[in-house]
Amino acid sequence: MDFKIDIPTDSEGFYSLECPYCNERFKANASDYESEDTLELFCPSCGLVGERSNFIPNEVIEHAETLAANFMKQEIYNSFKKTSRKTKGFGISFDMKKPKAEEPKLLKEDEDLEQIELQCCDKIIKVNIDQMVSNVYCPFCGVN
């Protein structure tokens, strides 16, 4: 079974990302992040590289896990409900309560990030200028 969970973007179409090494937050355009050419990302702050999926923030992963768990609980309930109907009259019965959906974590948006145009790859990212110690590394090619 395939289960697709959409990761929300900000109002301008940027994904919130977080470096798995230094925990610095930044944003990349959704189309740049999802590009077939983008297998790895460099952190704009520390410059370390990792698989792009490693840059998904924990709250997004927790949000997706909650949505998936809610879906799974509902599917199990539906399955047992159908079985209950089929076994009615055969001396077999069981009672199942409808599962209560857990509220997914609200995803915070870092709207205070500033846009930077990267000349090396002709792409735009958003970073926290106040937190950047030196030049910004390009998340797509690593150029500083």
Side-chain angles (χ1 to χ4, degrees):
M1 168 186 290
D2 288 333
F3 187 73
K4 184 178 179 187
I5 297 174
D6 293 321
I7 299 173
T9 60
D10 69 8
S11 58
E12 297 174 0
F14 285 79
Y15 283 138
S16 291
L17 302 169
E18 184 176 334
C19 176
Y21 308 107
C22 71
N23 297 322
E24 186 64 36
R25 296 188 65 98
F26 65 100
K27 290 187 176 189
N29 188 287
S31 61
D32 294 335
Y33 177 84
E34 293 173 345
S35 169
E36 291 178 11
D37 298 333
T38 306
L39 301 176
E40 298 178 322
L41 288 176
F42 294 84
C43 172
S45 182
C46 69
L48 295 177
V49 66
E51 288 184 33
R52 72 178 174 182
S53 61
N54 292 342
F55 286 83
I56 298 172
N58 285 335
E59 64 265 11
V60 172
I61 292 170
E62 290 172 13
H63 179 82
E65 287 173 344
T66 302
L67 293 176
N70 286 342
F71 178 80
M72 179 194 65
K73 288 174 191 175
Q74 188 62 45
E75 287 297 304
I76 291 171
Y77 173 77
N78 291 342
S79 228
F80 278 108
K81 190 175 173 183
K82 287 177 190 173
T83 303
S84 174
R85 277 190 234 133
K86 289 179 183 176
T87 59
K88 199 172 189 176
F90 288 100
I92 302 170
S93 67
F94 52 91
D95 187 28
M96 235 181 121
K97 293 181 181 176
K98 189 168 183 162
K100 193 173 190 177
E102 192 177 325
E103 277 298 313
K105 242 183 173 181
L106 291 176
L107 299 175
K108 65 180 179 179
E109 279 302 323
D110 298 320
E111 294 296 339
D112 59 335
L113 302 179
E114 295 186 37
Q115 285 191 7
I116 295 178
E117 187 173 340
L118 304 166
Q119 302 300 319
C120 54
C121 292
D122 195 30
K123 296 186 187 300
I124 295 173
I125 62 169
K126 292 182 180 182
V127 295
N128 186 346
I129 297 293
D130 298 335
Q131 297 294 324
M132 294 293 161
V133 178
S134 62
N135 291 333
V136 175
Y137 294 91
C138 174
F140 305 100
C141 70
V143 169
N144 184 347

